[in-house]
Amino acid sequence: MSQARTNARKAAVQALYQWQMTGHNLGEIERQFLEEERLKDAQKSYFIELFYGVPKNLDTIDQALSEFVDRPVDKIDPVERAILRIGAYELMHRLDMPYRVILNEGINLAKYFGADGSHKYVNGILDKLAQKNRPVENKK
């Protein structure tokens, strides 16, 4: 797994967080990230896919997450919500990517950006989502 793709996920978490908090236009947020060179070491195409893919599929993603979270999705900490939405998007739309990679990246993002212990919460939810959406791949 490439560092450029990991960096794209990190940037996507930050951009989605900003979008969730401000409601600003996606294109405007993307422009800021490009101008500030926050995508310098990131795979830009993957950042774009995640950053636009999550809002485009938001209803489906939030519906899938709501099955496994302990509160309404919009009440989840905004950092964790952005990470969960990216993980859910990847589990549902990037079948070429092994679910274990997606879970590991989600855990690492939660450790990097989230509150203490948030990686356990993210792991638990994404693991349940993976079991439902990737049953063949998930057989032990």
PDB file of all heavy atoms in Angstrom, residues 121-134:
ATOM      1  N   TYR A 121     -13.325   2.280  18.444  1.00  0.00           N
ATOM      2  CA  TYR A 121     -14.692   2.538  17.974  1.00  0.00           C
ATOM      3  C   TYR A 121     -14.764   2.380  16.446  1.00  0.00           C
ATOM      4  O   TYR A 121     -15.620   1.673  15.922  1.00  0.00           O
ATOM      5  CB  TYR A 121     -15.099   3.952  18.413  1.00  0.00           C
ATOM      6  CG  TYR A 121     -16.501   4.353  18.047  1.00  0.00           C
ATOM      7  CD1 TYR A 121     -17.599   3.810  18.704  1.00  0.00           C
ATOM      8  CD2 TYR A 121     -16.727   5.318  17.069  1.00  0.00           C
ATOM      9  CE1 TYR A 121     -18.887   4.198  18.386  1.00  0.00           C
ATOM     10  CE2 TYR A 121     -18.018   5.707  16.738  1.00  0.00           C
ATOM     11  CZ  TYR A 121     -19.092   5.144  17.400  1.00  0.00           C
ATOM     12  OH  TYR A 121     -20.367   5.532  17.077  1.00  0.00           O
ATOM     13  N   VAL A 122     -13.829   3.030  15.749  1.00  0.00           N
ATOM     14  CA  VAL A 122     -13.779   2.969  14.285  1.00  0.00           C
ATOM     15  C   VAL A 122     -13.585   1.523  13.831  1.00  0.00           C
ATOM     16  O   VAL A 122     -14.276   1.042  12.929  1.00  0.00           O
ATOM     17  CB  VAL A 122     -12.658   3.889  13.746  1.00  0.00           C
ATOM     18  CG1 VAL A 122     -12.344   3.596  12.292  1.00  0.00           C
ATOM     19  CG2 VAL A 122     -13.045   5.353  13.936  1.00  0.00           C
ATOM     20  N   ASN A 123     -12.664   0.810  14.467  1.00  0.00           N
ATOM     21  CA  ASN A 123     -12.406  -0.576  14.107  1.00  0.00           C
ATOM     22  C   ASN A 123     -13.659  -1.436  14.273  1.00  0.00           C
ATOM     23  O   ASN A 123     -14.005  -2.217  13.383  1.00  0.00           O
ATOM     24  CB  ASN A 123     -11.261  -1.146  14.949  1.00  0.00           C
ATOM     25  CG  ASN A 123     -10.965  -2.593  14.630  1.00  0.00           C
ATOM     26  OD1 ASN A 123     -10.896  -2.978  13.468  1.00  0.00           O
ATOM     27  ND2 ASN A 123     -10.796  -3.399  15.657  1.00  0.00           N
ATOM     28  N   GLY A 124     -14.344  -1.289  15.403  1.00  0.00           N
ATOM     29  CA  GLY A 124     -15.535  -2.100  15.658  1.00  0.00           C
ATOM     30  C   GLY A 124     -16.619  -1.896  14.619  1.00  0.00           C
ATOM     31  O   GLY A 124     -17.223  -2.858  14.132  1.00  0.00           O
ATOM     32  N   ILE A 125     -16.851  -0.643  14.245  1.00  0.00           N
ATOM     33  CA  ILE A 125     -17.912  -0.348  13.277  1.00  0.00           C
ATOM     34  C   ILE A 125     -17.515  -0.797  11.871  1.00  0.00           C
ATOM     35  O   ILE A 125     -18.295  -1.454  11.173  1.00  0.00           O
ATOM     36  CB  ILE A 125     -18.259   1.151  13.313  1.00  0.00           C
ATOM     37  CG1 ILE A 125     -18.926   1.463  14.652  1.00  0.00           C
ATOM     38  CG2 ILE A 125     -19.179   1.529  12.154  1.00  0.00           C
ATOM     39  CD1 ILE A 125     -18.988   2.917  14.983  1.00  0.00           C
ATOM     40  N   LEU A 126     -16.301  -0.473  11.449  1.00  0.00           N
ATOM     41  CA  LEU A 126     -15.866  -0.870  10.103  1.00  0.00           C
ATOM     42  C   LEU A 126     -15.773  -2.385   9.982  1.00  0.00           C
ATOM     43  O   LEU A 126     -16.072  -2.946   8.924  1.00  0.00           O
ATOM     44  CB  LEU A 126     -14.533  -0.210   9.739  1.00  0.00           C
ATOM     45  CG  LEU A 126     -14.577   1.304   9.515  1.00  0.00           C
ATOM     46  CD1 LEU A 126     -13.196   1.824   9.145  1.00  0.00           C
ATOM     47  CD2 LEU A 126     -15.608   1.694   8.465  1.00  0.00           C
ATOM     48  N   ASP A 127     -15.392  -3.065  11.066  1.00  0.00           N
ATOM     49  CA  ASP A 127     -15.326  -4.526  11.032  1.00  0.00           C
ATOM     50  C   ASP A 127     -16.723  -5.121  10.805  1.00  0.00           C
ATOM     51  O   ASP A 127     -16.895  -6.022   9.990  1.00  0.00           O
ATOM     52  CB  ASP A 127     -14.712  -5.059  12.331  1.00  0.00           C
ATOM     53  CG  ASP A 127     -14.477  -6.555  12.266  1.00  0.00           C
ATOM     54  OD1 ASP A 127     -13.831  -7.010  11.301  1.00  0.00           O
ATOM     55  OD2 ASP A 127     -14.936  -7.264  13.176  1.00  0.00           O
ATOM     56  N   LYS A 128     -17.722  -4.607  11.506  1.00  0.00           N
ATOM     57  CA  LYS A 128     -19.096  -5.097  11.318  1.00  0.00           C
ATOM     58  C   LYS A 128     -19.593  -4.791   9.907  1.00  0.00           C
ATOM     59  O   LYS A 128     -20.262  -5.625   9.278  1.00  0.00           O
ATOM     60  CB  LYS A 128     -20.039  -4.473  12.348  1.00  0.00           C
ATOM     61  CG  LYS A 128     -19.813  -4.995  13.753  1.00  0.00           C
ATOM     62  CD  LYS A 128     -20.681  -4.267  14.751  1.00  0.00           C
ATOM     63  CE  LYS A 128     -20.302  -4.656  16.171  1.00  0.00           C
ATOM     64  NZ  LYS A 128     -20.605  -3.614  17.134  1.00  0.00           N
ATOM     65  N   LEU A 129     -19.270  -3.617   9.416  1.00  0.00           N
ATOM     66  CA  LEU A 129     -19.669  -3.233   8.062  1.00  0.00           C
ATOM     67  C   LEU A 129     -18.990  -4.141   7.032  1.00  0.00           C
ATOM     68  O   LEU A 129     -19.622  -4.565   6.059  1.00  0.00           O
ATOM     69  CB  LEU A 129     -19.304  -1.765   7.813  1.00  0.00           C
ATOM     70  CG  LEU A 129     -19.927  -1.091   6.614  1.00  0.00           C
ATOM     71  CD1 LEU A 129     -21.459  -1.064   6.731  1.00  0.00           C
ATOM     72  CD2 LEU A 129     -19.410   0.337   6.493  1.00  0.00           C
ATOM     73  N   ALA A 130     -17.726  -4.474   7.268  1.00  0.00           N
ATOM     74  CA  ALA A 130     -16.993  -5.370   6.367  1.00  0.00           C
ATOM     75  C   ALA A 130     -17.617  -6.762   6.369  1.00  0.00           C
ATOM     76  O   ALA A 130     -17.760  -7.386   5.316  1.00  0.00           O
ATOM     77  CB  ALA A 130     -15.525  -5.453   6.772  1.00  0.00           C
ATOM     78  N   GLN A 131     -18.018  -7.247   7.552  1.00  0.00           N
ATOM     79  CA  GLN A 131     -18.643  -8.567   7.628  1.00  0.00           C
ATOM     80  C   GLN A 131     -19.936  -8.603   6.820  1.00  0.00           C
ATOM     81  O   GLN A 131     -20.239  -9.603   6.187  1.00  0.00           O
ATOM     82  CB  GLN A 131     -18.917  -8.942   9.081  1.00  0.00           C
ATOM     83  CG  GLN A 131     -17.655  -9.259   9.859  1.00  0.00           C
ATOM     84  CD  GLN A 131     -17.925  -9.491  11.338  1.00  0.00           C
ATOM     85  OE1 GLN A 131     -18.968  -9.988  11.705  1.00  0.00           O
ATOM     86  NE2 GLN A 131     -16.973  -9.108  12.169  1.00  0.00           N
ATOM     87  N   LYS A 132     -20.676  -7.506   6.831  1.00  0.00           N
ATOM     88  CA  LYS A 132     -21.932  -7.454   6.087  1.00  0.00           C
ATOM     89  C   LYS A 132     -21.694  -7.259   4.587  1.00  0.00           C
ATOM     90  O   LYS A 132     -22.354  -7.895   3.766  1.00  0.00           O
ATOM     91  CB  LYS A 132     -22.817  -6.331   6.613  1.00  0.00           C
ATOM     92  CG  LYS A 132     -24.132  -6.274   5.866  1.00  0.00           C
ATOM     93  CD  LYS A 132     -25.077  -5.257   6.404  1.00  0.00           C
ATOM     94  CE  LYS A 132     -26.355  -5.328   5.562  1.00  0.00           C
ATOM     95  NZ  LYS A 132     -27.308  -4.330   5.925  1.00  0.00           N
ATOM     96  N   ASN A 133     -20.765  -6.371   4.222  1.00  0.00           N
ATOM     97  CA  ASN A 133     -20.569  -6.019   2.817  1.00  0.00           C
ATOM     98  C   ASN A 133     -19.555  -6.877   2.079  1.00  0.00           C
ATOM     99  O   ASN A 133     -19.528  -6.868   0.865  1.00  0.00           O
ATOM    100  CB  ASN A 133     -20.143  -4.542   2.708  1.00  0.00           C
ATOM    101  CG  ASN A 133     -21.314  -3.618   2.909  1.00  0.00           C
ATOM    102  OD1 ASN A 133     -22.045  -3.335   1.975  1.00  0.00           O
ATOM    103  ND2 ASN A 133     -21.502  -3.159   4.132  1.00  0.00           N
ATOM    104  N   ARG A 134     -18.721  -7.578   2.807  1.00  0.00           N
ATOM    105  CA  ARG A 134     -17.690  -8.413   2.188  1.00  0.00           C
ATOM    106  C   ARG A 134     -17.732  -9.826   2.776  1.00  0.00           C
ATOM    107  O   ARG A 134     -16.710 -10.332   3.234  1.00  0.00           O
ATOM    108  CB  ARG A 134     -16.304  -7.807   2.424  1.00  0.00           C
ATOM    109  CG  ARG A 134     -16.125  -6.362   1.989  1.00  0.00           C
ATOM    110  CD  ARG A 134     -15.673  -6.300   0.529  1.00  0.00           C
ATOM    111  NE  ARG A 134     -15.255  -4.983   0.139  1.00  0.00           N
ATOM    112  CZ  ARG A 134     -13.995  -4.578   0.049  1.00  0.00           C
ATOM    113  NH1 ARG A 134     -13.009  -5.376   0.363  1.00  0.00           N
ATOM    114  NH2 ARG A 134     -13.705  -3.363  -0.343  1.00  0.00           N
TER     115      ARG A 134
END
